[in-house]
């Protein structure tokens, strides 16, 4: 069975207080600060999108959905992810699993990780068991630790469809 791995990573700045809500993994997380970006800036969905595209050797999210395109202004990142999964399937592959990490100082994501897994699985039309989401703090270090940004990383494993 032919298997391929893709790696995705993304970072977005946090807006000023009052710019919330925060959207991560397709879920609105109560927080007074939202993400800064051309689209809805869902850093987790962006990382997953790039991981899936990378697994099939396709172009990245920035090439396919440039932040200079007016059609992408405030666009729902679920659109990007759905498109990437369609490309995976069109290339003759299916998702084995995703393993994702969100690096965020605040808010704490433990109460929302399961909802994120369900939202991501629904967008991709896969089982929740195929989606892993973890959260880590920045331990007060760097842009994440200073609450200036949120990072997300994802590894996607795909295999040839049977």
């Amino acid at each position: 069975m032919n298997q391929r791995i893709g790696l995705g990573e993304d970072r977005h700045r946090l807006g000023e207080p009052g710019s919330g809500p925060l959207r991560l993994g397709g879920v609105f997380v109560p927080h007074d600060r939202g993400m800064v970006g051309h689209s809805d800036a869902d850093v987790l969905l962006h990382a997953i999108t790039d991981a899936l595209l990378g697994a099939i050797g396709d172009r990245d999210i920035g090439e396919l959905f440039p932040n200079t395109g007016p059609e992408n202004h405030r666009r729902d990142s679920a659109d990007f992810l759905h498109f990437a999964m369609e490309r995976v399937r069109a290339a003759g592959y299916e998702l084995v699993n995703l393993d994702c990490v969100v690096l965020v100082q605040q808010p704490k994501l433990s109460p929302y990780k399961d909802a994120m897994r369900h939202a991501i699985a629904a967008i991709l039309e896969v089982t929740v068991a195929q989606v892993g989401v973890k959260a880590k703090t920045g331990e007060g270090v760097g842009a994440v630790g200073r609450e200036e940004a949120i990072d997300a990383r994802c590894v996607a494993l795909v295999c040839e469809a049977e």
Side-chain angles (χ1 to χ4, degrees), residues 3-104:
Q3 297 181 332
R4 299 180 67 154
I5 296 173
L7 174 65
E9 184 171 347
D10 199 30
R11 171 182 290 174
H12 281 276
R13 289 179 290 119
L14 279 163
E16 296 298 319
S19 63
L22 177 64
R23 186 163 181 198
L24 286 171
V27 173
F28 286 101
V29 176
H31 193 53
D32 70 331
R33 300 172 70 189
M35 302 299 292
V36 176
H38 189 68
S39 66
D40 66 5
D42 189 324
V43 68
L44 179 54
L45 295 189
H46 292 183
I48 298 168
T49 298
D50 265 345
L52 290 171
L53 294 169
I56 60 168
D58 208 335
R59 296 178 290 159
D60 66 31
I61 192 172
E63 291 177 273
L64 295 168
F65 303 101
N67 64 5
T68 55
E71 69 279 8
N72 297 322
H73 183 65
R74 298 195 189 281
R75 190 164 176 183
D76 186 340
S77 294
D79 292 347
F80 307 149
L81 185 53
H82 182 73
F83 175 87
M85 192 61 186
E86 285 181 341
R87 298 283 277 243
V88 168
R89 290 184 175 118
Y93 289 86
E94 58 188 32
L95 181 67
V96 176
N97 75 301
L98 301 172
D99 191 21
C100 308
V101 179
V102 180
L103 296 103
V104 56

